[in-house]
Amino acid sequence: MNVEQTTLDGVVILTPARHGDDRGFFSESWNRKRLTEAGLDYDFVQDNHSLSAQTGTVRGLHFQAPPHAQAKLVRCGRGRLFDVAVDIRQGSPTYGQWTGVELSFENGRQLLIPAGFLHGFITREPDTEIIYKCSDYYAPECDGAVRFDDPDIGIDWGAATGQAILSQKDAAAPRLADIHSPFTYEA
Ligand SMILES: Cc1cn([C@H]2C[C@H](O)[C@@H](COP(=O)(O)OP(=O)(O)O[C@H]3O[C@H](C)C(=O)[C@H](O)[C@H]3O)O2)c(=O)[nH]c1=O
């Protein structure tokens, strides 16, 4: 498994090995022991899987507040997407900064996002499926969102987002400056 750092401490890109043969390939998409050996041990308890039918679908930027904050291990099961994490830990030297990576079925890359970060993505192909592990259960009472096109964050989604396909919740999300982040940076 290849591990690449990003500009945000704790957000890393993982690429599990693929064992190809004349049938196709086999890959251990998640191996807790291997992550622990890389110093990335998370107790994932829930797998999520969503399908976005149209290119230019944006889901995010979301977080779950403590006591149900979620770390996530994100991968693309079909299609192609641009996955983004934003640091919202109060006091962090990278507060409000973002990092992004293209995840696709083809490249097999995964993004590991600790708790304390917003998560969102934009699809780059039709019928794109995202699959991700979460370190806590769904808790709608702890659900939070920030608008994906917040100018103070300034995410480059790599596409025109004026026609982004959004849920009503995401279309009405506040700017980061208008929320009180429940996360605190611990050096
Ligand atoms: C997140 C979640 C949702 N749901 C139900 C609630 C709604 O009836 C339906 C769609 O939920 P929502 O519109 O919040 O789904 P997304 O817009 O894909 O939200 C997710 O998108 C970003 C990228 C994330 O990282 C989060 O996991 C999550 O916020 O699934 C559940 O039953 N369990 C869950 O864990």
Side-chain angles (χ1 to χ4, degrees):
M1 175 181 72
N2 185 47
V3 181
E4 301 166 70
Q5 302 303 318
T6 69
T7 54
L8 298 182
D9 184 33
V11 180
V12 296
I13 301 167
L14 307 178
T15 309
R18 283 185 171 179
H19 306 286
D21 62 28
D22 55 9
R23 299 167 297 171
F25 73 80
F26 180 94
S27 176
E28 293 181 3
S29 52
W30 173 66
N31 180 312
R32 181 167 186 173
K33 181 170 177 283
R34 193 154 292 137
L35 262 70
T36 302
E37 288 167 352
L40 302 168
D41 186 28
Y42 288 88
D43 186 16
F44 294 119
V45 297
Q46 178 176 311
D47 269 5
N48 291 342
H49 181 182
S50 71
L51 165 69
S52 299
Q54 296 183 68
T55 300
T57 301
V58 172
R59 295 180 186 246
L61 303 163
H62 301 158
F63 67 93
Q64 267 195 186
H68 298 292
Q70 294 173 316
K72 294 168 188 166
L73 178 57
V74 185
R75 65 189 176 100
C76 180
R78 177 169 52 142
R80 193 158 56 98
L81 60 91
F82 185 68
D83 208 54
V84 171
V86 184
D87 186 356
I88 59 166
R89 298 167 299 173
Q90 302 271 12
S92 168
T94 56
Y95 183 85
Q97 294 184 27
W98 66 276
T99 189
V101 60
E102 181 169 282
L103 307 180
S104 68
F105 169 74
E106 290 304 318
N107 71 23
R109 302 178 95 184
Q110 303 178 358
L111 193 62
L112 181 61
I113 306 168
F117 292 77
L118 299 171
H119 176 230
F121 66 90
I122 188 168
T123 58
R124 291 183 165 173
E125 284 181 8
D127 296 327
T128 285
E129 296 185 48
I130 189 170
I131 299 165
Y132 50 106
K133 309 186 90 61
C134 300
S135 64
D136 207 324
Y137 299 105
Y138 178 50
E141 73 279 8
C142 296
D143 196 30
V146 168
R147 60 175 309 107
F148 76 101
D149 58 355
D150 185 331
D152 296 328
I153 301 173
I155 296 168
D156 178 2
W157 291 100
T161 54
Q163 304 303 317
I165 295 158
L166 297 167
S167 65
Q168 286 185 349
K169 174 180 81 173
D170 290 348
R175 293 173 58 160
L176 181 57
D178 295 330
I179 73 161
H180 176 77
S181 170
F183 300 102
T184 305
Y185 176 72
E186 293 168 15

